[in-house]
Every structure is written in structure tokens, then in C-alpha cells.
Amino acid sequence: MYAKMLSASVVGIEGRLIEVEVNISSGLPQVSVVGLPDPAVRESVERVRSAIQNSGMTFPLDRITVNLAPADVRKEGSAYDLAIAAGILLASGQLAAEKIEGALLIGELSLSGEIRPVPGVLPMAERARSEGLRRVIVPEASVGEAQLIEGIEVFGVRGLGEWAGGGTTRFGRPPGRGAAPSSGDAISDPADDADLSDVIGQAHGKRALLIAAAGKHNILFVGPPGTGKTMLCRRLPTLLPPLDDEEALAVTKIYSVCGKLGGRRHGLIRRRPFRSPHHTISIAGLIGGGPSPKPGEVTLAHHGVLFLDELPEFPRGALEALRQPLEDFRVTIGRARGVTQFPAHFLLAVSMNPCPCGYFGSDGDRACTCSGAAVARYRSRLSGPLADRIDLQVEMPRQTAREPASAEGWTSAMARARAEEAIERQKARYRGGAIRWNSELYGRKLAEHARLSPAAEKLLGSVYERLGLSFRAHDRILKVARTIADLDGRDAIEAEHVAEAVQYRCLDKPAVPD
């Protein structure tokens, strides 16, 4: 007696179909699971056995062989439990074939027969649709995720016995991708009431934050403690537009794979992610990794903001590992069994003190007590190649007087409206191409879309020679100038745009205390 089911796994953040073959033959009672299963899959035998028995059905006392194909791909997790149980029930004549015809089965079994949710239902359902399957059978708690994929019927299952006896909840046409998300803890957001007007003064820093949001430029704030560096960075998401449909689906898939949707969200994530890991994080935690690679913080910040507070306190290896995703917008992790790629197109926002004590260059009562060597060592924790990849490097002076928070009229809503105008100019300029933001310009595309006026070209050449910039820093200044011109509603990049962009390169200037 033979039966074949379809289940799925996740590779990176993409779903992959797995065939679950079950063969029951005469012989001593024994269950063998083959096809490179990990311990969690091997343990499914006992879960399936107990679930079938406790659901009022009979577990065959014969030789049972379960094959997970393709056999050269390692199978991990508990998502195959429902398919294995269905295969055994179908092969033993206890389940009608029409219940699983053309369906993908996903779910973990409890010993009592309850169907439990598993991570990654969204990309699995998306793969099922792309492979032409008509139905997806998932735990009832995961119906909201599966419904986000249009064009496929979703059936929610509460328990194995109820399902085998005919009890499933069929859901009609899934909602479109524009469905509004419910509240939940799927992403880490700044406080809902955070606003740019909360930051007192610091007009220069607010202007830099606006440029960062308008062109998706990485930004670094350098200044003494208490100058508003962290407050500004935490308000950066409030200046960014909501995720569009394509971005929202990509972000929701990532959080589905990581099991962070919580089963309470019934729509795509629309807020841009904001991730703020602690400085003790490991390289694998930041970039992703492990024996079976899992997404790290850079992937969880995809299409959002990755905030690193007190940058020099992070491990040097973790910071250097940021180089590839900052250039390629993805993370590539190689292991003996294969290579896994994760998307990582995030906006990097970081803050740091100018020296170990934090008061180097301060004009206030607190004088710096650090030696020149100590300052140099502290600054060297941020390597030159990584600093080159940060477009905006902004000095934050200590505020000398407390002003009313509303004195300058800078609110998040006003700044976001200005940023969105510049973003619309970029959309129109790059329509039909792979580039979406000014920060993504490179090579011939940069030369084509960031043309300088004669005065601007002369100024940039002079700055390049005087500061001894790298080619990468030169291009970063050009990209920032392109965004500043967009904020001004100008097609050409003028000298004043280049001059302002150069102001945001504080780390290119030598800093040694007296």
C-alpha cells in the first residue's frame, strides 16, 4: 500500500516542495524515515503514532517506510508531521484520497492530535501556488498567513481526527495584498508616538536624517552623550513611506520564516522594520548563520532600518561582516551542504561618541580626558572601508540652550511629505529599471543620473584631492548630492548640492585632541 503527499520546507526565505512517500508492507512493526531527515523529523514518528491513536484511528502494525524527496536535500523541522500522518492514513485506507488531492499539507502534530503552527507558512504557500497546486491545508492558527497568497484555497485544520472525519474550515477567496495588518509584535517598531519634533534643536542632524530617508542613505551620528543621536535614529522610520506591495510581501515572508508573525497578523506588514540589536550580538546573530543558516538582524531589517547604537562597542568581526550586505543588499552564507542567500537591503543608522569619554571636541564644561592615542584607537574600531560605505557622517554638537521642541516646526509628518516628493522623483527617473533609490546608483548609472554642473564638478574634484577621498567616498558624495537636488526639485546637481553633501563626511577629516 502506497501513498504520496506534498509538504514543503524553507530554503533561505523561499519555499520548496517536498514529496512525502509512504509505503506500508507486511513485516515486523517498524517505521523508517529516509531522505536526510534531521532529529526533529525522525522524532515525528512518535508524534504521528500518538496523534493517530489519540484521534481514534489505528496506527498500522506493519513495516512503514517514509521517504522525503528529493533525497539529497536535508529535511529539518516539524512541518512534515501532517503530511506523514495523512500518508499513513491514506495508505492504510483510513483517509479519503479526495481530501488531499492537489493539496499541500503543512503542520506539526501534538501527541493528542492537535495541529500546531510552524514557521514559514507564507513562503510555502507561495511556492504551492507557483507550482500549480490548488489547495493548502494548514493549522488553523496559520490561516492568516496562507491567505496572503492570492489564487489558492486555504483550509484550516484544528485536529487530526476532526480533519480525517471531515472537519475542515474552508476559507474563500483570500484577501488582496493590500489588506491592513492587525496589531501584533511581528516587527520591532519605535514608539508609535515618536516624532521628530521630540528632538530639541539639532537642525543639522534633522536635515541629514531627511536626506537619509529621501535617498535611503546610510547615516552615522557622532557627538557627545545627550546630544540626541539615539533619538534621531529612532525617529528615522517615521520619515520613511509605508512598504509597497512587493516590499511588504518580502518583509512578511522573512518574519514568517523566523516565526515572528505570532499567528495574530492577518495582513502584510506595512511598517518598515526597525531593528536595534545589543552590542554583544554575535556575527551569526547580526548577519545570519548557523549549521542550517537562519536570517540575522540585517535580514530582519530588510526594507527597513538597522540601528547600531554605540557602534565602536560592537565586535569588530560583526561590523566588518556588514560590508557585503551594504554593497550587494544580500547576505551569502556558504556551508558544506550548499550556499544560502538572504535579502538584506536595509538603511543603516549608527551612532557613536567621538572618544572613549565622549567629550572630545566639546565646548562645554566637560573637557575630554582622552589621549590622542586613545582617541585614535577608539575611532579605529570603525574601519575605513566600513566608514566609506556610510553616506552621511554627521557631527552632533552639544546643545548650549534648551529650546521649545516646536521652535523649528520639524515634525515627522512634514519631513516625510518632503521625503516622499523626492522619492517620487526617483521613481519617475528609474522607472522600468532595477534601481529604486539614489543610494543604489553605481557605475554608468551613477554617471548617467548624477550629472554635475561645471561648477559642481570643479568643487567635487577639489574636495576629492584635498581630503584624499577614495573612489567609493567620491561616489557616495555624488549620490547624496543627487538626493539633495531631488529634495530641492532640481534635475541638475549644482555646486551648493555638492557643498552640502561634503559637509556630511566628518570622518574624512583628521581628529586628534590637543
Side-chain angles (χ1 to χ4, degrees):
M1 295 172 285
Y2 170 84
K4 183 171 75 172
M5 309 288 110
L6 283 177
S7 190
S9 64
V10 175
V11 179
I13 64 165
E14 301 299 330
R16 179 168 187 167
L17 293 189
I18 300 295
E19 292 184 357
V20 179
E21 299 178 296
V22 176
N23 186 72
I24 302 178
S25 57
S26 59
L28 293 175
Q30 180 181 353
V31 181
S32 300
V33 181
V34 297
L36 285 182
D38 75 346
V41 178
R42 293 194 198 96
E43 291 169 356
S44 68
V45 172
E46 299 307 320
R47 292 194 296 272
V48 169
R49 186 197 310 274
S50 296
I52 290 176
Q53 292 172 344
N54 290 326
S55 298
M57 294 172 285
T58 302
F59 190 85
L61 296 178
D62 295 298
R63 181 178 179 84
I64 302 174
T65 303
V66 179
N67 179 46
L68 306 176
D72 59 340
V73 176
R74 188 164 185 83
K75 318 303 185 306
E76 300 175 332
S78 55
Y80 314 110
D81 287 9
L82 181 58
I84 293 173
I88 292 174
L89 293 175
L90 180 61
S92 61
Q94 300 179 74
L95 181 67
E98 57 267 18
K99 294 191 70 68
I100 50 87
E101 184 179 358
L104 181 75
L105 284 75
I106 306 167
E108 176 186 331
L109 288 172
S110 71
L111 298 184
S112 65
E114 177 189 356
I115 312 295
R116 291 173 173 168
V118 295
V121 167
L122 180 58
M124 293 179 192
E126 184 183 41
R127 173 60 65 179
R129 183 188 62 179
S130 66
E131 295 289 339
L133 297 180
R134 304 189 304 273
R135 299 187 295 165
V136 175
I137 301 173
V138 299
E140 200 166 66
S142 299
V143 166
E145 281 187 56
Q147 276 190 296
L148 295 175
I149 303 301
E150 297 179 353
I152 194 166
E153 290 183 324
V154 180
F155 292 80
V157 182
R158 186 180 295 109
L160 182 62
E162 180 183 353
W163 173 61
T168 58
T169 303
R170 180 179 180 276
F171 293 84
R173 185 182 182 276
R177 294 180 184 174
S182 63
S183 61
D185 57 354
I187 56 176
S188 177
D189 288 318
D192 289 338
D193 59 351
D195 193 272
L196 196 60
S197 61
D198 299 334
V199 183
I200 299 170
Q202 299 296 6
H204 186 59
K206 293 176 181 178
R207 170 69 175 177
L209 206 68
L210 171 62
I211 296 169
K216 203 170 186 179
H217 298 288
N218 302 321
I219 186 168
L220 162 70
F221 288 114
V222 182
T227 53
K229 304 185 298 294
T230 300
M231 287 186 69
L232 281 173
C233 288
R234 288 191 175 276
R235 280 147 184 80
L236 181 54
T238 68
L239 275 62
L240 295 168
L243 297 167
D244 61 29
D245 287 351
E246 181 182 347
E247 292 173 333
L249 180 60
V251 171
T252 309
K253 283 171 60 177
I254 292 169
Y255 281 82
S256 172
V257 169
C258 295
K260 294 183 178 291
L261 290 183
R264 296 183 296 165
R265 184 178 290 273
H266 299 286
L268 297 177
I269 294 173
R270 290 292 174 179
R271 286 185 176 180
R272 293 190 179 270
F274 181 86
R275 305 295 300 182
S276 180
H278 193 261
H279 65 260
T280 56
I281 192 170
S282 65
I283 297 177
L286 184 63
I287 302 300
S292 299
K294 302 298 180 184
E297 289 291 332
V298 296
T299 299
L300 291 170
H302 185 54
H303 291 315
V305 177
L306 176 65
F307 174 44
L308 304 182
D309 200 8
E310 301 299 340
L311 184 73
E313 303 302 324
F314 283 78
R316 179 66 177 264
L319 294 181
E320 294 306 307
L322 289 172
R323 293 190 195 181
Q324 186 210 9
L326 287 175
E327 286 289 326
D328 301 336
F329 310 129
R330 65 178 182 270
V331 172
T332 304
I333 300 174
R335 294 290 182 267
R337 66 186 63 161
V339 176
T340 304
Q341 286 192 344
F342 297 110
H345 194 352
F346 56 90
L347 196 166
L348 178 65
V350 297
S351 68
M352 63 180 288
N353 293 326
C355 65
C357 78
Y359 293 98
F360 170 64
S362 177
D363 297 329
D365 297 332
R366 298 289 298 272
C368 176
T369 59
C370 305
S371 65
V375 174
R377 283 195 302 271
Y378 186 79
R379 293 272 182 112
S380 69
R381 296 180 188 177
L382 173 60
S383 68
L386 182 57
D388 265 357
R389 288 167 168 83
I390 300 177
D391 301 357
L392 300 162
Q393 305 163 3
V394 188
E395 288 185 296
M396 295 279 285
R398 189 180 70 88
Q399 295 295 96
T400 56
R402 185 174 181 86
E403 304 174 9
S406 59
E408 299 166 8
W410 277 78
T411 66
S412 291
M414 295 168 61
R416 183 170 60 252
R418 287 204 61 190
E420 287 178 342
E421 291 177 4
I423 291 169
E424 289 302 318
R425 293 179 65 87
Q426 293 170 64
K427 287 182 179 179
R429 182 187 304 126
Y430 308 131
R431 182 172 288 116
I435 293 175
R436 303 183 63 178
W437 302 82
N438 287 333
S439 60
E440 300 172 12
L441 289 171
Y442 64 93
R444 286 179 294 177
K445 290 292 184 181
L446 180 60
E448 176 185 351
H449 296 293
R451 295 185 181 278
L452 299 171
S453 67
E457 188 170 1
K458 181 178 179 181
L459 175 61
L460 183 56
S462 174
V463 170
Y464 176 78
E465 293 296 335
R466 187 177 306 169
L467 296 181
L469 301 176
S470 67
F471 285 131
R472 183 183 289 114
H474 173 280
D475 288 351
R476 299 279 174 177
I477 291 175
L478 202 53
K479 296 175 186 180
V480 172
R482 175 68 272 171
T483 299
I484 296 172
D486 286 336
L487 286 169
D488 287 348
R490 308 276 289 277
D491 291 328
I493 300 176
E494 303 294 342
E496 61 265 27
H497 303 141
V498 172
E500 183 178 358
V502 171
Q503 293 180 35
Y504 306 119
R505 299 294 303 180
C506 70
L507 294 185
D508 294 324
K509 307 169 188 176
V512 179
D514 296 333

